[in-house]
């Protein structure tokens, strides 16, 4: 098809129009959709407020019962009292228990009864006949025995606090001397099939 037939005045004008047509983008591109705006992120949800605990019902005019009181003081006794409470160092007690039990185990309650029957033996312990109890220095769970060489007298409330535990707090309360005798006694008994309890000599474990 000639350039004159298509309405151009010259071949130069025709060629320029052809180049412009090639440079123009296709119709589909010219009519493309506008770019969409990026979607906005949803705002983070606020954490739900913690639920309030329902108030405990109380009787009008009655104060709630206080928690169980702890012993007034669990501070270790003074050194004199501490040594006076070590049963292995009380010679009258040792003789009485040996005469009654020979080489059998000795229940802790028997030691408590003996002190109540002999209140003069509580002198220097800081304890009275109404508040005394007998505790295993080494609990059975760690190799302790039911015997006077493993006993220590203390206030009932303190005994209830320590229970069968073997803690640094309890060891500090009993003192190094009582602990050393009890541990020495447990070691001495460990490898014996026929234990002659009163053959043990606590003097070998004095500090």
């Amino acid at each position: 098809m000639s350039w004159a037939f298509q309405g151009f005045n010259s071949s130069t004008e025709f060629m320029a129009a052809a180049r412009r047509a090639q440079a123009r983008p296709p119709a589909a591109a010219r009519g493309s959709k506008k770019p969409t705006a990026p979607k906005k992120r949803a705002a983070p949800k606020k954490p739900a407020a913690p639920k309030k605990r329902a108030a405990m019902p109380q009787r009008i005019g009655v104060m709630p019962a206080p928690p169980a009181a702890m012993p007034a003081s669990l501070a270790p006794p003074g050194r004199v009292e501490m040594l006076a409470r070590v049963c292995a160092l009380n010679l009258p007690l040792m003789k009485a228990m040996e005469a009654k039990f020979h080489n059998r185990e000795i229940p802790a309650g028997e030691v408590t009864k003996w002190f109540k029957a002999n209140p003069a033996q509580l002198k220097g312990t800081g304890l009275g006949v109404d508040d005394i109890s007998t505790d295993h220095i080494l609990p059975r769970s760690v190799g302790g025995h039911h015997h006077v060489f493993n006993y220590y007298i203390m206030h009932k409330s303190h005994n209830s606090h320590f229970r069968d535990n073997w803690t640094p707090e309890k060891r500090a309360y009993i003192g190094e001397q009582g602990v050393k005798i009890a541990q020495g006694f447990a070691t001495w008994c460990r490898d014996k099939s026929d234990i002659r309890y009163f053959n043990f000599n606590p003097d070998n474990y004095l500090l």
Side-chain angles (χ1 to χ4, degrees), residues 186-195:
T187 302
W188 182 85
C189 293
R190 186 171 53 199
D191 299 325
K192 292 177 172 58
S193 57
D194 182 20
I195 304 175

Side-chain angles (χ1 to χ4, degrees), residues 72-94:
S73 173
L74 281 171
R79 177 164 176 78
V80 173
E81 292 181 353
M82 192 178 282
L83 293 175
R85 297 181 184 192
V86 178
C87 295
L89 300 179
N90 189 308
L91 294 181
L93 171 65
M94 298 285 291

Side-chain angles (χ1 to χ4, degrees), residues 137-152:
I137 297 175
L138 275 177
R140 293 285 289 176
S141 59
V142 294
H145 289 260
H146 298 304
H147 205 274
V148 69
F149 294 120
N150 189 40
Y151 287 156
Y152 185 89

Side-chain angles (χ1 to χ4, degrees), residues 138 178-190 200 205:
L138 275 177
V179 170
K180 185 173 182 179
I181 292 175
Q183 289 178 328
F185 179 60
T187 302
W188 182 85
C189 293
R190 186 171 53 199
F200 175 76
Y205 298 88

Side-chain angles (χ1 to χ4, degrees), residues 86-102 106 111 114-115 121 147-151 181 185 197-203:
V86 178
C87 295
L89 300 179
N90 189 308
L91 294 181
L93 171 65
M94 298 285 291
K95 289 180 180 179
M97 295 296 107
E98 183 177 12
K100 184 173 182 179
F101 292 95
H102 303 288
I106 303 171
V111 174
W114 184 86
F115 275 106
Q121 293 295 320
H147 205 274
V148 69
F149 294 120
N150 189 40
Y151 287 156
I181 292 175
F185 179 60
Y197 290 110
F198 284 100
N199 287 345
F200 175 76
N201 186 1
D203 292 346

Side-chain angles (χ1 to χ4, degrees), residues 158-176:
H158 294 188
N159 198 344
S160 297
H161 171 76
F162 291 124
R163 298 181 180 273
D164 294 330
N165 298 317
W166 184 234
T167 60
E169 180 189 33
K170 181 178 179 179
R171 293 194 287 274
Y173 182 92
I174 291 169
E176 189 178 359

